[in-house]
Amino acid sequence: MIIKNITIENFRSYYGENSIDIGNGLTLIIGSNGDGKTTLFEAIEWLFDTVGSLPKTDYKYISKKRISELMDSESDYVRVSMTYVNDGGERLIQKSFKFTKSLSGEISTSNFEYNLYIQKGVEKDVKTGESATRQFDRDFAPSIRKYCLFKGEQNLNIFNNDDAMSYLVETFSQIRDFDPYLSFMESAKAWAEKATDNAIRADRKNSSEAQRLRSLITGEERVIGDLEKACQNKKEEALNFQTLLEELEKNKEASSLLVDTNSRLENLIAQKLQAQKELNENYTFRLLDDMWVLMGFEPIAEEYRDLVGRLDKEQRKQQSKYDQEVGAKKVIAQINRDLSHGHVPLAINIPDENTMREMLDEEFCKICGREAPKGSEPYLFMKKRLDEYLASLESEEEKEVEVEPLFKNSFIKELYDRYSVLHNNMRFLNRLNGFIDDAIRANLKKHETIDRLSSNIEQEEEKKKQILAQTDGLSEDELVSAYNNISEWWKARSDAERRSDFLDAQIQKHKETLKGYRSDFSKISEDSSAAMYSRTSQAIRRILESFVLAKKKNKRDFLDQLEEVTNEYLELLNKGDFRGYAQIVERPNSSAEIILIDTDGSRIYNANTALKTTMYMSLLFAVAKLTTVKHENDYPLIFDAPTSSFTAAKESDFFGVIAGINKQTIIVTKSFLVEDTDGYSSLDTSRLGEIDAKKYRIEKAQPFDEKDLSTIRTYVKPI
Amino acid sequence: MTQKDKMFQMVLDDPELQDVYGYSRKDYDEDVYEAINSSNPIVSAVAKIIVGLNGSDDPGEQKRVYQTIFKYLNDNLLV
C-alpha cells in the first residue's frame, strides 16, 4: 500500500482544505511546537479508526476559525481523506461529518460518513459505512496499522510490553497458521485414543488393564501439563528478579569494590564447585566396585585357610594309608606265589628273557646242563618261567588301572587352589580397612572445606547487597530499605531458581513414568485385536508432537530473521556510533523482548534515549520489511517526532539513512528548524537540502492569539 | 516455496519422527501436493492433513479429515 495524498479539511487547527502529496520514499513534515504536527497525526488516527475507539463526531475536531466564520444556519464539513494505491489501483478513504451553526449560535454535528472510493477505469466504485470499514481493513489490516503509526517517542516503547511483542510475533511470524492444525491434531489424538480404548474394551482379556493404563496416562499428562506451567512461571519470576539485580549491578559498574567482590565471589564459587565434584560418597557402589564389601573378611579368610588346611592334611593321610595298604597287598601276593614251591624263589628276571628264549629254542637248559626237548618237563618249566616273567611286566600296569581311587573328585584340591588365590589377595584385604578409612576421612574434610566456602560466599553476597544498596543521596532509612529490597530480590530469585530446578526434575520423572505407561499400553494393545488402532493412535500422537515442535521452530526462525534485519537497520541508523547489537530473546512465558548487547557480550541497561529510539525504529523497519515479504505488499511507516533526543548531527544522519531505505516513511518533526532571537523558527535549509525527501512546512498563519482558538489556522506548504 | 510446503517440511524435519517411522529428507524434499502419494505412510499422512484441512477450523471439516487419515493409517502403517 502506497499513500499518495493526505487531505485535511477543517480538522482542528487545519482551517479549510490542506493537501499534502506524499512521496514514495521519505516525506518530511516540519513544524515547530504547537504548529499542528500532533494534530496532523491525530487527523490520520481518526481517519484510520475503523473500530470506533475514537468519537465519530466531536466538537473538538472542528476548526474554531471556521466556526467563527459561519453565519447562522450555515454548515460546513470536517473531512480527512487519504488517497492510496493498493492492488494496482487507486483508492480514496474519507471520513467526514457536517457541522451547523444554529440561530442561537450552537454548533451541532451530523451526517457522519465513512466512504471508500475504488477507481475502476473512468468510474468510481463507492463503499460506505461497514462496507468501507471492511474494505479498508483488508487493504491495510489493523494488525499491521498498529505497527505503522507512532505518535511520539514514548509510543515506540510499546515493545517493552510483553503483549505487544507477543502480538507482533504471532501476527507476523505466521505461527497462527499452525493453530488450526494443532487444534485438529489435538482432536485427532483424542478421537484415535477413544477408538482404541473402545476396541480394547471389547477384548475382555486386556480390557481392564488397558483401562487402568489409560487412566494413568491421562493422569500423568495432566500432572506434566500443570508442572510445566508452574515451572514456566517460576523461571519467568527468576528471570525478572535476575534482570532487576543485573540492572542494579550495571548501574554500579564503576565501583571497584563491587568489581573486586565479584571477582572473589567467582573464585569462591568455582572452588566450591570443584570440591563438590571431588566428593565421592557413592558408598553403595564402592561396596562392590571397590570390593569394600570384603572389609572384615580377614578372620573369615583365616578360618577358611585353617579348615582347608586340615581337610587337605586329612586327605593326604588317608591317601597315604590307602596307598600303603594297596602296595602291601601286591608284595604279599608276589611273595606267596614265589614261596608256593617251598624255596626262596629267584628273582623273577633271572635268567633274563634272552637267555630263556635261547634255551627254549635250543631245547637245552644251560643252568642244569640237561636236554629239554619240546613237551618235556624241563622244557615246560623254562616256558612257564618265561611266561611268568612276561606276565609280571604287564600285570603291574593292569594292577594300577584296576585299583579304585580313594577320592574320586578333586573338590578338596579346588578348595585349596581357591585358598591360594585368596592368599595372594590377602595383602589387598589387609590394606582395605586403611583405604576405606582414608576415603571417608577425605570426604569429611571436603565437607568441611565446602562448608567454609559456603560461609565465605554468603558473607561476600551480603557485602555485595550492601554495595548495591549504596546510592548517593539516600538517607539511612532509604539505604536500609534499598538493602532490604535487594535482599528480598536476591532471596526471591534463589527461591524461584531452586523451585524451577525441582519442578524440572519432577517433570522429567513424570515423563519417564508416562513413557513407561505408554509402552505398557502399547504392548497390551499389540497383543489385542485393537493393535491396528493402537498403532494409528500412536502415529497421530507423534505427528501432533511434531506439529508442536514445528510451531516453536517457526517462531524461533522468525525471531532470528527479525533480529538479523533489525541489526541491519540499527547499524545503518547508528553509523558507527554503536558497535553492539540488538537481540530478541524469548522469555519463559513465551513472550519476546528486544534488548541491546554491548561488544563484550553484556546487556546494556541504561541506553540513552537516542539509541533506544533507533533500536525501536530498526525493529519497526524490520517488521515492515518482513511484512512486505510475507504479504507481498508494502506498508508505510508514519512517525511523529521520534528524534527529539537526537543531536543535530545525528538527526541529519538519521534522516539521511531513512531517505536511503527503500520504504515509504512519513515523519512529522520539528527537526531542521532554527529559532531566532524573536522566537521565530526558520528552516535550516542547508541541512535540509542534504536530505532526499519530499518536504513540507506546517505553521500557524500570523497573526494569531494563542488564547483565542478562532484566530488559529495551520497551513501546509511544500518546501 | 508456499506456506503449506514450509509447514510440511518443518513438521517432517522432526528427527524423532524420522527415526521411528523410517524416512529421511529425500522422502519429503518435494512439494506437499506431490508428497500425498509418498510411499512412506507418515509422509503421506502429514501431506494429507495439511492439504486436506487447508487451515480450516470448521469442526465438520476437521472430522472429515480425521476419518480419512485414520483409515489411511490403519490400512498402511506397517508393524
Side-chain angles (χ1 to χ4, degrees), chain A residues 185 192 196 522 526 530-543, chain B residues 12 16-23 38-46 48-49 66 68-79:
Chain A
M185 290 309 304
T196 309
S522 152
E526 280 300 318
M532 173 181 70
Y533 282 11
S534 171
R535 279 194 299 273
T536 296
S537 174
Q538 271 184 66
I540 288 174
R541 181 178 57 77
R542 285 215 154 92
I543 293 172
Chain B
L12 289 176
E16 222 179 278
L17 198 67
Q18 290 186 11
D19 194 38
V20 173
Y21 292 101
Y23 66 89
S38 170
S39 59
N40 184 286
I42 295 297
V43 171
S44 174
V46 172
K48 286 179 196 306
I49 289 168
Y66 161 73
T68 306
I69 298 300
F70 191 70
K71 182 176 185 335
Y72 172 75
L73 287 171
N74 283 341
D75 292 345
N76 291 282
L77 268 179
L78 298 177
V79 178

Short mmCIF file of all heavy atoms in Angstrom, two decimals, chain A residues 185 192 196 522 526 530-543, chain B residues 12 16-23 38-46 48-49 66 68-79:
data_model
loop_
_atom_site.label_atom_id
_atom_site.label_comp_id
_atom_site.label_asym_id
_atom_site.label_seq_id
_atom_site.Cartn_x
_atom_site.Cartn_y
_atom_site.Cartn_z
N MET A 185 -5.01 -31.65 15.38
CA MET A 185 -4.21 -32.80 15.84
C MET A 185 -4.59 -33.19 17.27
O MET A 185 -4.61 -34.37 17.61
CB MET A 185 -2.72 -32.51 15.76
CG MET A 185 -2.15 -32.42 14.33
SD MET A 185 -2.53 -33.80 13.24
CE MET A 185 -1.90 -35.19 14.16
N ALA A 192 -8.70 -40.78 18.20
CA ALA A 192 -8.00 -42.04 17.93
C ALA A 192 -7.83 -42.84 19.22
O ALA A 192 -7.98 -44.07 19.23
CB ALA A 192 -6.65 -41.76 17.28
N THR A 196 -9.35 -46.55 20.05
CA THR A 196 -8.51 -47.64 20.54
C THR A 196 -9.09 -48.20 21.84
O THR A 196 -9.20 -49.43 22.00
CB THR A 196 -7.08 -47.14 20.79
OG1 THR A 196 -6.60 -46.46 19.65
CG2 THR A 196 -6.14 -48.29 21.12
N SER A 522 0.96 -49.91 24.90
CA SER A 522 1.23 -50.33 23.54
C SER A 522 1.43 -51.85 23.47
O SER A 522 0.95 -52.50 22.55
CB SER A 522 2.44 -49.53 23.05
OG SER A 522 3.14 -50.22 22.12
N GLU A 526 -0.87 -54.26 21.33
CA GLU A 526 -0.29 -55.08 20.26
C GLU A 526 -0.79 -56.50 20.40
O GLU A 526 -0.95 -57.22 19.41
CB GLU A 526 1.24 -55.06 20.37
CG GLU A 526 1.88 -53.81 19.78
CD GLU A 526 1.61 -53.60 18.32
OE1 GLU A 526 1.66 -54.58 17.54
OE2 GLU A 526 1.31 -52.47 17.92
N ALA A 530 -7.04 -54.81 18.97
CA ALA A 530 -7.04 -53.38 18.63
C ALA A 530 -5.65 -52.88 18.25
O ALA A 530 -5.41 -51.68 18.22
CB ALA A 530 -7.55 -52.58 19.83
N ALA A 531 -4.75 -53.79 17.92
CA ALA A 531 -3.36 -53.41 17.62
C ALA A 531 -3.29 -52.37 16.52
O ALA A 531 -2.51 -51.41 16.60
CB ALA A 531 -2.56 -54.66 17.22
N MET A 532 -4.12 -52.54 15.50
CA MET A 532 -4.08 -51.63 14.35
C MET A 532 -4.43 -50.21 14.81
O MET A 532 -3.76 -49.24 14.46
CB MET A 532 -5.09 -52.16 13.32
CG MET A 532 -5.31 -51.25 12.14
SD MET A 532 -6.52 -51.91 10.99
CE MET A 532 -8.05 -51.77 11.90
N TYR A 533 -5.51 -50.10 15.61
CA TYR A 533 -5.94 -48.79 16.09
C TYR A 533 -4.87 -48.17 16.99
O TYR A 533 -4.63 -46.96 16.96
CB TYR A 533 -7.25 -48.91 16.90
CG TYR A 533 -8.49 -49.07 16.08
CD1 TYR A 533 -8.45 -49.32 14.71
CD2 TYR A 533 -9.74 -48.98 16.67
CE1 TYR A 533 -9.60 -49.47 13.97
CE2 TYR A 533 -10.91 -49.12 15.93
CZ TYR A 533 -10.84 -49.37 14.58
OH TYR A 533 -11.99 -49.52 13.86
N SER A 534 -4.27 -49.02 17.78
CA SER A 534 -3.25 -48.53 18.71
C SER A 534 -2.07 -47.94 17.96
O SER A 534 -1.55 -46.87 18.30
CB SER A 534 -2.79 -49.69 19.60
OG SER A 534 -1.68 -49.28 20.35
N ARG A 535 -1.64 -48.59 16.89
CA ARG A 535 -0.51 -48.09 16.10
C ARG A 535 -0.88 -46.75 15.47
O ARG A 535 -0.08 -45.81 15.44
CB ARG A 535 -0.15 -49.10 15.00
CG ARG A 535 0.69 -50.26 15.47
CD ARG A 535 1.28 -51.02 14.29
NE ARG A 535 0.26 -51.58 13.42
CZ ARG A 535 -0.31 -52.77 13.59
NH1 ARG A 535 0.02 -53.52 14.62
NH2 ARG A 535 -1.23 -53.22 12.75
N THR A 536 -2.10 -46.68 14.94
CA THR A 536 -2.55 -45.43 14.31
C THR A 536 -2.61 -44.32 15.34
O THR A 536 -2.17 -43.18 15.08
CB THR A 536 -3.92 -45.64 13.65
OG1 THR A 536 -3.77 -46.60 12.60
CG2 THR A 536 -4.48 -44.35 13.09
N SER A 537 -3.15 -44.64 16.50
CA SER A 537 -3.26 -43.65 17.58
C SER A 537 -1.89 -43.13 17.98
O SER A 537 -1.69 -41.92 18.16
CB SER A 537 -3.97 -44.31 18.76
OG SER A 537 -3.98 -43.46 19.85
N GLN A 538 -0.94 -44.04 18.07
CA GLN A 538 0.43 -43.62 18.42
C GLN A 538 1.01 -42.71 17.36
O GLN A 538 1.69 -41.73 17.65
CB GLN A 538 1.33 -44.85 18.49
CG GLN A 538 1.39 -45.49 19.86
CD GLN A 538 2.37 -46.63 19.86
OE1 GLN A 538 3.55 -46.42 19.71
NE2 GLN A 538 1.87 -47.84 20.00
N ALA A 539 0.77 -43.08 16.10
CA ALA A 539 1.31 -42.28 14.99
C ALA A 539 0.72 -40.87 15.03
O ALA A 539 1.43 -39.88 14.85
CB ALA A 539 1.01 -42.94 13.65
N ILE A 540 -0.58 -40.78 15.30
CA ILE A 540 -1.24 -39.47 15.37
C ILE A 540 -0.65 -38.66 16.51
O ILE A 540 -0.38 -37.45 16.38
CB ILE A 540 -2.77 -39.63 15.50
CG1 ILE A 540 -3.33 -40.13 14.16
CG2 ILE A 540 -3.44 -38.34 15.93
CD1 ILE A 540 -4.80 -40.48 14.17
N ARG A 541 -0.43 -39.31 17.65
CA ARG A 541 0.14 -38.59 18.79
C ARG A 541 1.53 -38.05 18.44
O ARG A 541 1.88 -36.92 18.73
CB ARG A 541 0.21 -39.50 20.01
CG ARG A 541 0.76 -38.81 21.26
CD ARG A 541 0.77 -39.72 22.47
NE ARG A 541 1.50 -40.95 22.27
CZ ARG A 541 2.81 -41.08 22.29
NH1 ARG A 541 3.56 -40.02 22.47
NH2 ARG A 541 3.38 -42.25 22.12
N ARG A 542 2.32 -38.87 17.75
CA ARG A 542 3.68 -38.44 17.40
C ARG A 542 3.65 -37.29 16.39
O ARG A 542 4.47 -36.39 16.44
CB ARG A 542 4.47 -39.61 16.82
CG ARG A 542 4.91 -40.58 17.88
CD ARG A 542 6.27 -41.16 17.55
NE ARG A 542 6.96 -41.57 18.75
CZ ARG A 542 6.91 -42.80 19.26
NH1 ARG A 542 6.19 -43.73 18.68
NH2 ARG A 542 7.60 -43.12 20.34
N ILE A 543 2.70 -37.36 15.47
CA ILE A 543 2.60 -36.28 14.48
C ILE A 543 2.21 -34.98 15.17
O ILE A 543 2.71 -33.90 14.84
CB ILE A 543 1.58 -36.63 13.35
CG1 ILE A 543 2.12 -37.80 12.53
CG2 ILE A 543 1.33 -35.44 12.45
CD1 ILE A 543 1.13 -38.35 11.52
N LEU B 12 7.94 -32.51 9.24
CA LEU B 12 8.66 -33.75 8.96
C LEU B 12 10.13 -33.66 9.30
O LEU B 12 10.81 -34.70 9.34
CB LEU B 12 8.48 -34.14 7.49
CG LEU B 12 7.07 -34.63 7.15
CD1 LEU B 12 6.95 -34.90 5.66
CD2 LEU B 12 6.73 -35.90 7.90
N GLU B 16 12.93 -37.26 15.66
CA GLU B 16 12.36 -38.43 16.34
C GLU B 16 11.32 -39.10 15.44
O GLU B 16 11.26 -40.33 15.37
CB GLU B 16 11.69 -37.97 17.63
CG GLU B 16 11.98 -38.92 18.78
CD GLU B 16 11.33 -38.46 20.07
OE1 GLU B 16 11.93 -37.60 20.73
OE2 GLU B 16 10.23 -38.96 20.38
N LEU B 17 10.54 -38.30 14.75
CA LEU B 17 9.53 -38.85 13.84
C LEU B 17 10.23 -39.60 12.71
O LEU B 17 9.80 -40.69 12.32
CB LEU B 17 8.67 -37.71 13.27
CG LEU B 17 7.33 -38.10 12.66
CD1 LEU B 17 6.38 -38.60 13.73
CD2 LEU B 17 6.70 -36.92 11.94
N GLN B 18 11.32 -39.05 12.23
CA GLN B 18 12.09 -39.70 11.15
C GLN B 18 12.63 -41.04 11.63
O GLN B 18 12.58 -42.05 10.91
CB GLN B 18 13.27 -38.81 10.73
CG GLN B 18 12.87 -37.55 10.00
CD GLN B 18 14.05 -36.76 9.47
OE1 GLN B 18 15.19 -37.21 9.46
NE2 GLN B 18 13.79 -35.56 9.01
N ASP B 19 13.12 -41.02 12.86
CA ASP B 19 13.74 -42.22 13.42
C ASP B 19 12.72 -43.35 13.59
O ASP B 19 12.96 -44.49 13.22
CB ASP B 19 14.34 -41.82 14.77
CG ASP B 19 15.29 -42.87 15.27
OD1 ASP B 19 16.02 -43.44 14.44
OD2 ASP B 19 15.30 -43.13 16.48
N VAL B 20 11.56 -42.98 14.15
CA VAL B 20 10.56 -44.02 14.45
C VAL B 20 9.91 -44.56 13.18
O VAL B 20 9.64 -45.75 13.07
CB VAL B 20 9.48 -43.45 15.41
CG1 VAL B 20 8.34 -44.43 15.60
CG2 VAL B 20 10.10 -43.11 16.75
N TYR B 21 9.65 -43.66 12.22
CA TYR B 21 8.90 -44.11 11.03
C TYR B 21 9.75 -44.28 9.78
O TYR B 21 9.22 -44.48 8.69
CB TYR B 21 7.71 -43.16 10.80
CG TYR B 21 6.68 -43.32 11.90
CD1 TYR B 21 6.60 -42.40 12.94
CD2 TYR B 21 5.84 -44.44 11.95
CE1 TYR B 21 5.70 -42.57 13.98
CE2 TYR B 21 4.94 -44.61 12.99
CZ TYR B 21 4.87 -43.68 14.00
OH TYR B 21 3.97 -43.85 15.04
N GLY B 22 11.07 -44.23 9.96
CA GLY B 22 11.99 -44.67 8.91
C GLY B 22 11.90 -43.92 7.59
O GLY B 22 11.80 -44.53 6.52
N TYR B 23 11.93 -42.58 7.67
CA TYR B 23 12.01 -41.85 6.40
C TYR B 23 13.12 -40.81 6.55
O TYR B 23 13.59 -40.55 7.64
CB TYR B 23 10.66 -41.17 6.07
CG TYR B 23 10.27 -40.09 7.04
CD1 TYR B 23 10.67 -38.76 6.86
CD2 TYR B 23 9.50 -40.39 8.17
CE1 TYR B 23 10.33 -37.78 7.76
CE2 TYR B 23 9.15 -39.40 9.07
CZ TYR B 23 9.56 -38.10 8.88
OH TYR B 23 9.23 -37.13 9.79
N SER B 38 3.28 -40.24 -1.41
CA SER B 38 4.54 -40.84 -0.94
C SER B 38 4.32 -42.27 -0.49
O SER B 38 3.25 -42.64 0.00
CB SER B 38 5.06 -40.01 0.23
OG SER B 38 6.14 -40.67 0.85
N SER B 39 5.37 -43.09 -0.64
CA SER B 39 5.27 -44.48 -0.21
C SER B 39 5.39 -44.59 1.31
O SER B 39 5.02 -45.60 1.91
CB SER B 39 6.37 -45.32 -0.87
OG SER B 39 7.63 -44.77 -0.52
N ASN B 40 5.93 -43.55 1.96
CA ASN B 40 6.01 -43.59 3.43
C ASN B 40 4.68 -43.09 4.00
O ASN B 40 4.26 -41.96 3.72
CB ASN B 40 7.18 -42.75 3.92
CG ASN B 40 7.36 -42.84 5.42
OD1 ASN B 40 6.57 -42.26 6.17
ND2 ASN B 40 8.35 -43.58 5.85
N PRO B 41 4.01 -43.92 4.81
CA PRO B 41 2.67 -43.54 5.28
C PRO B 41 2.65 -42.27 6.12
O PRO B 41 1.68 -41.52 6.07
CB PRO B 41 2.20 -44.75 6.10
CG PRO B 41 3.34 -45.67 6.20
CD PRO B 41 4.39 -45.27 5.26
N ILE B 42 3.70 -42.03 6.87
CA ILE B 42 3.70 -40.83 7.72
C ILE B 42 3.87 -39.58 6.87
O ILE B 42 3.18 -38.57 7.07
CB ILE B 42 4.81 -40.92 8.79
CG1 ILE B 42 4.52 -42.06 9.76
CG2 ILE B 42 4.98 -39.60 9.54
CD1 ILE B 42 3.24 -41.89 10.56
N VAL B 43 4.77 -39.65 5.90
CA VAL B 43 4.97 -38.51 4.99
C VAL B 43 3.65 -38.21 4.27
O VAL B 43 3.21 -37.06 4.19
CB VAL B 43 6.10 -38.81 3.98
CG1 VAL B 43 6.17 -37.74 2.90
CG2 VAL B 43 7.44 -38.94 4.68
N SER B 44 3.03 -39.27 3.78
CA SER B 44 1.77 -39.09 3.06
C SER B 44 0.68 -38.56 3.98
O SER B 44 -0.07 -37.65 3.60
CB SER B 44 1.35 -40.44 2.47
OG SER B 44 0.07 -40.34 1.89
N ALA B 45 0.61 -39.08 5.21
CA ALA B 45 -0.43 -38.65 6.17
C ALA B 45 -0.29 -37.17 6.49
O ALA B 45 -1.27 -36.42 6.51
CB ALA B 45 -0.35 -39.48 7.45
N VAL B 46 0.93 -36.71 6.74
CA VAL B 46 1.15 -35.29 7.08
C VAL B 46 0.75 -34.42 5.90
O VAL B 46 0.11 -33.38 6.05
CB VAL B 46 2.61 -35.03 7.52
CG1 VAL B 46 2.88 -33.55 7.67
CG2 VAL B 46 2.92 -35.75 8.82
N LYS B 48 -1.46 -35.15 3.60
CA LYS B 48 -2.93 -35.18 3.51
C LYS B 48 -3.56 -34.26 4.54
O LYS B 48 -4.56 -33.60 4.28
CB LYS B 48 -3.44 -36.61 3.74
CG LYS B 48 -3.21 -37.59 2.59
CD LYS B 48 -3.75 -38.97 2.96
CE LYS B 48 -3.30 -40.13 2.15
NZ LYS B 48 -3.42 -40.15 0.75
N ILE B 49 -2.97 -34.22 5.75
CA ILE B 49 -3.51 -33.37 6.81
C ILE B 49 -3.41 -31.91 6.38
O ILE B 49 -4.38 -31.15 6.45
CB ILE B 49 -2.76 -33.57 8.14
CG1 ILE B 49 -3.09 -34.94 8.74
CG2 ILE B 49 -3.10 -32.47 9.15
CD1 ILE B 49 -2.20 -35.36 9.88
N TYR B 66 -10.01 -36.15 9.69
CA TYR B 66 -9.58 -37.16 10.66
C TYR B 66 -9.96 -38.56 10.17
O TYR B 66 -9.14 -39.50 10.20
CB TYR B 66 -10.22 -36.90 12.03
CG TYR B 66 -10.20 -38.12 12.94
CD1 TYR B 66 -9.01 -38.55 13.52
CD2 TYR B 66 -11.35 -38.87 13.16
CE1 TYR B 66 -8.97 -39.68 14.32
CE2 TYR B 66 -11.32 -40.00 13.95
CZ TYR B 66 -10.13 -40.40 14.53
OH TYR B 66 -10.09 -41.53 15.31
N THR B 68 -10.46 -39.64 7.22
CA THR B 68 -9.62 -40.02 6.08
C THR B 68 -8.24 -40.49 6.56
O THR B 68 -7.75 -41.54 6.13
CB THR B 68 -9.42 -38.81 5.13
OG1 THR B 68 -10.68 -38.28 4.78
CG2 THR B 68 -8.63 -39.19 3.89
N ILE B 69 -7.65 -39.71 7.46
CA ILE B 69 -6.30 -40.02 7.94
C ILE B 69 -6.31 -41.31 8.76
O ILE B 69 -5.42 -42.15 8.65
CB ILE B 69 -5.76 -38.86 8.80
CG1 ILE B 69 -5.66 -37.58 7.98
CG2 ILE B 69 -4.42 -39.19 9.43
CD1 ILE B 69 -4.76 -37.68 6.78
N PHE B 70 -7.32 -41.45 9.60
CA PHE B 70 -7.41 -42.63 10.48
C PHE B 70 -7.47 -43.90 9.63
O PHE B 70 -6.74 -44.87 9.86
CB PHE B 70 -8.65 -42.50 11.38
CG PHE B 70 -8.71 -43.51 12.48
CD1 PHE B 70 -7.82 -43.45 13.55
CD2 PHE B 70 -9.66 -44.52 12.47
CE1 PHE B 70 -7.87 -44.37 14.59
CE2 PHE B 70 -9.71 -45.44 13.51
CZ PHE B 70 -8.82 -45.38 14.56
N LYS B 71 -8.33 -43.88 8.63
CA LYS B 71 -8.47 -45.05 7.76
C LYS B 71 -7.17 -45.30 7.01
O LYS B 71 -6.69 -46.44 6.90
CB LYS B 71 -9.63 -44.84 6.79
CG LYS B 71 -9.84 -46.06 5.90
CD LYS B 71 -11.05 -45.93 5.00
CE LYS B 71 -11.32 -47.21 4.19
NZ LYS B 71 -10.21 -48.10 3.94
N TYR B 72 -6.58 -44.23 6.49
CA TYR B 72 -5.36 -44.36 5.71
C TYR B 72 -4.24 -44.99 6.55
O TYR B 72 -3.57 -45.92 6.09
CB TYR B 72 -4.91 -42.99 5.18
CG TYR B 72 -3.55 -43.05 4.52
CD1 TYR B 72 -3.39 -43.61 3.25
CD2 TYR B 72 -2.42 -42.60 5.19
CE1 TYR B 72 -2.14 -43.72 2.68
CE2 TYR B 72 -1.16 -42.71 4.61
CZ TYR B 72 -1.03 -43.26 3.35
OH TYR B 72 0.22 -43.38 2.79
N LEU B 73 -4.08 -44.52 7.78
CA LEU B 73 -3.01 -45.07 8.63
C LEU B 73 -3.32 -46.50 9.03
O LEU B 73 -2.43 -47.35 9.06
CB LEU B 73 -2.80 -44.18 9.86
CG LEU B 73 -2.12 -42.84 9.58
CD1 LEU B 73 -2.15 -41.94 10.82
CD2 LEU B 73 -0.69 -43.01 9.12
N ASN B 74 -4.58 -46.80 9.32
CA ASN B 74 -4.96 -48.18 9.65
C ASN B 74 -4.57 -49.12 8.52
O ASN B 74 -4.06 -50.21 8.73
CB ASN B 74 -6.47 -48.29 9.87
CG ASN B 74 -6.89 -47.75 11.22
OD1 ASN B 74 -6.07 -47.63 12.13
ND2 ASN B 74 -8.16 -47.42 11.36
N ASP B 75 -4.82 -48.67 7.29
CA ASP B 75 -4.58 -49.52 6.11
C ASP B 75 -3.10 -49.66 5.79
O ASP B 75 -2.69 -50.66 5.20
CB ASP B 75 -5.30 -48.95 4.88
CG ASP B 75 -6.82 -49.04 5.01
OD1 ASP B 75 -7.29 -49.77 5.90
OD2 ASP B 75 -7.51 -48.37 4.22
N ASN B 76 -2.31 -48.62 6.13
CA ASN B 76 -0.95 -48.58 5.58
C ASN B 76 0.21 -48.66 6.56
O ASN B 76 1.34 -48.91 6.14
CB ASN B 76 -0.78 -47.29 4.76
CG ASN B 76 -1.61 -47.33 3.49
OD1 ASN B 76 -1.23 -47.96 2.51
ND2 ASN B 76 -2.76 -46.69 3.52
N LEU B 77 -0.05 -48.43 7.87
CA LEU B 77 1.08 -48.48 8.81
C LEU B 77 1.55 -49.92 8.96
O LEU B 77 0.75 -50.80 9.24
CB LEU B 77 0.65 -47.97 10.18
CG LEU B 77 0.86 -46.48 10.48
CD1 LEU B 77 0.37 -46.14 11.86
CD2 LEU B 77 2.33 -46.09 10.35
N LEU B 78 2.84 -50.11 8.80
CA LEU B 78 3.37 -51.46 8.92
C LEU B 78 3.87 -51.69 10.34
O LEU B 78 4.30 -50.75 11.02
CB LEU B 78 4.54 -51.65 7.94
CG LEU B 78 4.19 -51.50 6.46
CD1 LEU B 78 5.43 -51.63 5.61
CD2 LEU B 78 3.17 -52.55 6.05
N VAL B 79 3.82 -52.95 10.75
CA VAL B 79 4.30 -53.29 12.10
C VAL B 79 5.83 -53.22 12.13
O VAL B 79 6.48 -53.70 11.20
CB VAL B 79 3.84 -54.71 12.48
CG1 VAL B 79 4.39 -55.07 13.84
CG2 VAL B 79 2.33 -54.80 12.48
#
